[in-house]
Amino acid sequence: MQTLELQSVHKSFETLKVLEDVNLRVKQGEFAAIVGPSGCGKSTVLRMVAGLETADTGKVLAGGQPITKPSPDRMMIFQEHALYPWSTVEENVGFGLELANVPKQERRERVQAILEKVGLTGFEKYYPSQLSGGMRQRVSIARALVMDPDVLLLDEPYGALDAMTKLTMQNELLNLWQGSGKTMLLITHDIDEALYLADRIFVMSPRPGRVVETMDLDLPRPRNRNGERFIQLRQDIMRILGLGE
């Protein structure tokens, strides 16, 4: 299992400075979230942890070791599910296992087990076009989980879903995480989503992004979105972001 760290990270794209002296630490098994305004570099942070981008200066670490490339230990889930439309649910979920040369019988068993866990038993032979948005995102999550990663990186995974489906998927994600020992790092524009899911929230400034507040949440689970403490924390984050008094 892996602790994630960014230490004094700076990042620019040509002349555009995106990140400036970013420091954060996500403990092993923790559910953390990053919130901040559009363009503040949240996705860049996530892509660095995934090994898809490198820092200009500073360190990006997993388990104390520099991240230099993507790894099956750290799987990313995007807002756009990016499923192969010509492949069935079971083929999409098993694709990574096939690339890893996992034997066919073991592959089938692992795919079946993870589809049951995400509530997609019976949809093995369906194609993405036959599924709702929420079900397609379940397939995307199953595709990541079947690789049994230490870390799940979530890039606004529910941003394209309707409100009711989003709430359902948030609860399902919590059920998958709790007791798993996996480390979760979520980026989101949705303050309520961060407060509902995360143990720790990093609030970022406008570009060039830096962490201006780290909030360790003292909210018991299951969380009440209408509770006094939840509402107070929401107001605190909005005030930090300049969205309220």
Side-chain angles (χ1 to χ4, degrees):
M1 297 297 173
Q2 299 182 349
T3 296
L4 307 174
E5 291 183 82
L6 273 71
Q7 299 176 357
S8 302
V9 166
H10 294 251
K11 178 67 175 179
S12 296
F13 293 106
E14 297 182 350
T15 60
L16 181 67
K17 185 181 290 186
V18 179
L19 299 173
E20 184 175 60
D21 196 26
V22 173
N23 294 275
L24 61 83
R25 185 172 188 270
V26 182
K27 294 186 292 185
Q28 173 186 315
E30 188 172 49
F31 201 132
I34 301 174
V35 299
S38 295
C40 74
K42 299 188 297 297
S43 290
T44 301
V45 168
L46 210 67
R47 289 176 63 83
M48 285 181 174
V49 176
L52 300 172
E53 297 281 359
T54 57
D56 296 337
T57 60
K59 296 179 180 180
V60 184
L61 308 171
Q65 300 301 311
I67 296 172
T68 59
K69 60 183 180 180
S71 165
D73 291 333
R74 302 182 308 277
M75 298 297 293
M76 199 159 174
I77 299 171
F78 299 92
Q79 178 175 329
E80 297 298 330
H81 50 76
L83 302 176
Y84 298 120
W86 56 83
S87 298
T88 64
V89 166
E90 62 183 358
E91 290 168 345
N92 268 289
V93 173
F95 182 71
L97 297 176
E98 186 176 357
L99 287 181
N101 296 315
V102 174
K104 189 172 183 179
Q105 182 59 34
E106 180 185 347
R107 193 163 72 232
R108 185 181 296 113
E109 291 171 358
R110 287 174 63 174
V111 168
Q112 196 59 50
I114 207 69
L115 288 178
E116 182 177 351
K117 186 172 285 190
V118 300
L120 286 172
T121 300
F123 292 91
E124 293 87 350
K125 304 299 183 184
Y126 281 59
Y127 288 88
S129 62
Q130 298 173 298
L131 304 175
S132 68
M135 292 175 75
R136 287 194 292 268
Q137 198 60 296
R138 283 194 185 98
V139 177
S140 182
I141 291 169
R143 184 174 56 185
L145 287 175
V146 78
M147 304 301 293
D148 195 26
D150 292 334
V151 178
L152 272 183
L153 305 169
L154 303 134
D155 188 357
E156 299 199 65
Y158 307 135
L161 301 180
D162 65 84
M164 290 293 291
T165 304
K166 186 175 185 178
L167 296 179
T168 299
M169 295 296 290
Q170 287 171 359
N171 285 322
E172 290 181 1
L173 183 63
L174 279 179
N175 289 335
L176 290 169
W177 166 71
Q178 289 175 319
S180 71
K182 296 186 186 302
T183 304
M184 302 279 203
L185 180 57
L186 164 77
I187 64 169
T188 180
H189 285 96
D190 187 335
I191 295 171
D192 277 26
E193 180 171 68
L195 286 169
Y196 189 71
L197 294 174
D199 299 315
R200 179 176 298 183
I201 298 176
F202 303 100
V203 184
M204 291 186 67
S205 68
R207 186 177 64 239
R210 58 189 178 86
V211 176
V212 293
E213 187 78 28
T214 300
M215 304 179 70
D216 293 313
L217 302 189
D218 54 2
L219 293 169
R221 299 183 189 276
R223 292 179 177 168
N224 177 7
R225 298 172 194 262
N226 297 311
E228 183 177 347
R229 181 60 178 155
F230 194 103
I231 293 170
Q232 180 61 56
L233 288 167
R234 179 197 298 140
Q235 292 172 341
D236 290 345
I237 293 173
M238 290 180 68
R239 184 169 58 252
I240 294 166
L241 293 172
L243 301 175
E245 296 300 324

